[in-house]
Amino acid sequence: MEINSENNGHGDEQRTNADEGDAWGSQQSSTPRTAKMPVDRNAAYYNMKHKNRGMAIIFNHEHFDIHSLKSRVGTNVDCDSFAKVLKTLGFTVTVLHNLRAGEINSYISQTADMDHTDNDCILIAVLTHGEMGMLYAKDTHYKPENLWQYFTADKCPTLAGKPKLFFVQACQGDKLDGGVTLSNRTETDGASSAVYRIPVHADFLIVFSTVPGYYSWRNTTRGSWFMQALCEELHYYGTERDILTLLTFVCQRVALDFESNTPDTPTMHQQKQVPCITTPAGGRGNALVIRRPHGGRGKHPRLYKPEHFRRSLSVRVQRTTKKLKEGKQPTAEGEARLVQRRRRFSQNHFPWKKYPSSTD
């Protein structure tokens, strides 16, 4: 230990080279506990080879007892799509509808008390209304921290060192994001141990559908923008990309592919949104890749990814347009097919133009 001496004019003062906290107040220490090590200290990836993938719990809120909150039309589309894609990834999915705050707290607490030794991870999603720093249950509001406070390593040791994933589809305020139009493209340059300790809040990934203070948008027919993008990315790339890479593309989809469609309310029309990843995946630097259940590829049919469809459709539209410019007249049937292709191509690139939008 190094000893430094410093003269402050009133005498010599010795200080030890030690770590100090930056907060005032009482110091309540957390009692160190021991949990089973699920992965090597310096492992690049989480261990996703346990007997079970793990539990996935979806709290879906459509109706509320609070008079100021409208029913969330379209949330069941989100819920069904998310449950379906999670099942294909091997999760044991439980969907709970319109629970009260006390019921949510009780269910979360009971889940944390379970034995998750044979599980890879746990996933919890909440689809509801929200404001800055709060979420709404059927009867009242509660803090988002209530969802994950029971799963820290000291309270739920069988999930210590394992991914704990939380997805929140809700508003975080009432600000609007009008977006910015970019006119030009620019570029800028720009040792392993048998025993180790981790913070109790390690291995959490918490993702909100929008940044703090802003609206989160929901399509009344197709579901919320964030859940649409998340379900599509998980469906096509859930077993190929690590979770942070996948979520980066989710953010890209929401930011670029969606825009509010409320022409009757000009102030809300053509607004944008971007999700917010509030906690780095892992907390220890591990990458999370959700491998195919049971390691088998045969049980999963080949998936044609969106860009393949768009590219093929775009080529056919361009080819037909070229023929028209060359003076080749299509038959009535061919002309009808061209119109249909153009419509499908436009809808694929701009799905938000077809349906009205609402906020959470």
Side-chain angles (χ1 to χ4, degrees), residues 3-241:
I3 305 293
N4 299 328
S5 81
E6 178 177 304
N7 193 327
N8 60 7
H10 300 284
D12 293 339
E13 184 179 289
Q14 290 187 332
R15 296 188 307 167
T16 59
N17 185 16
D19 297 324
E20 295 181 351
D22 285 327
W24 291 95
S26 61
Q27 298 179 357
Q28 298 180 351
S29 63
S30 175
T31 304
R33 298 188 181 184
T34 303
K36 184 178 178 180
M37 179 171 54
V39 67
D40 184 74
R41 174 176 180 169
N42 297 320
Y45 296 92
Y46 281 105
N47 177 14
M48 300 297 284
K49 298 180 180 179
H50 293 85
K51 183 179 178 180
N52 306 315
R53 174 70 75 226
M55 300 176 63
I57 304 168
I58 303 175
F59 294 103
N60 181 39
H61 296 274
E62 182 179 11
H63 304 295
F64 301 84
D65 292 340
I66 305 168
H67 298 298
S68 59
L69 299 180
K70 297 180 181 179
S71 294
R72 299 182 61 253
V73 179
T75 187
N76 290 329
V77 177
D78 287 340
C79 183
D80 293 342
S81 299
F82 199 38
K84 183 178 180 180
V85 74
L86 290 176
K87 288 177 182 177
T88 64
L89 294 174
F91 284 94
T92 302
V93 180
T94 302
V95 179
L96 301 167
H97 297 279
N98 303 315
L99 293 191
R100 300 178 183 277
E103 295 171 330
I104 294 174
N105 191 70
S106 177
Y107 196 91
I108 290 288
S109 178
Q110 292 174 16
T111 302
D113 289 337
M114 294 179 180
D115 186 357
H116 301 270
T117 302
D118 294 331
N119 296 347
D120 290 334
C121 60
I122 190 168
L123 185 151
I124 294 177
V126 179
L127 316 177
T128 187
H129 283 301
E131 294 180 17
M132 187 66 176
M134 66 178 65
L135 301 174
Y136 282 97
K138 182 179 178 64
D139 57 340
T140 187
H141 60 80
Y142 62 94
K143 294 182 178 180
E145 305 91 81
N146 293 357
L147 296 170
W148 50 80
Q149 65 179 356
Y150 294 105
F151 295 99
T152 54
D154 56 335
K155 297 177 182 177
C156 185
T158 56
L159 280 174
K162 299 179 180 180
K164 293 165 277 284
L165 314 176
F166 295 83
F167 297 94
V168 180
Q169 167 56 45
C171 282
Q172 287 205 74
D174 57 3
K175 294 181 181 178
L176 293 169
D177 184 349
V180 175
T181 301
L182 301 180
S183 57
N184 294 308
R185 294 179 61 184
T186 60
E187 295 183 1
T188 56
D189 294 330
S192 187
S193 175
V195 178
Y196 61 93
R197 297 176 63 190
I198 62 173
V200 295
H201 288 89
D203 311 298
F204 280 84
L205 174 66
I206 304 167
V207 186
F208 285 86
S209 60
T210 189
V211 295
Y214 282 80
Y215 275 120
S216 181
W217 291 90
R218 172 174 32 85
N219 188 284
T220 55
T221 303
R222 304 186 68 178
S224 63
W225 300 355
F226 171 65
M227 294 306 296
Q228 286 183 60
L230 178 61
C231 289
E232 190 164 352
E233 285 293 327
L234 284 172
H235 179 68
Y236 291 109
Y237 306 105
T239 60
E240 299 177 12
R241 294 172 175 164

Side-chain angles (χ1 to χ4, degrees), residues 18 89 96 119 130 136 155 232 249 259 291 300 304 350 360:
L89 294 174
L96 301 167
N119 296 347
Y136 282 97
K155 297 177 182 177
E232 190 164 352
F249 282 100
E259 192 171 282
R291 304 296 181 186
H300 297 264
Y304 290 91
F350 310 104
D360 281 326

Side-chain angles (χ1 to χ4, degrees), residues 66 96 199 229 306-307 318 331 337:
I66 305 168
L96 301 167
E307 59 265 30
Q318 292 173 6
T331 62
R337 280 202 304 269

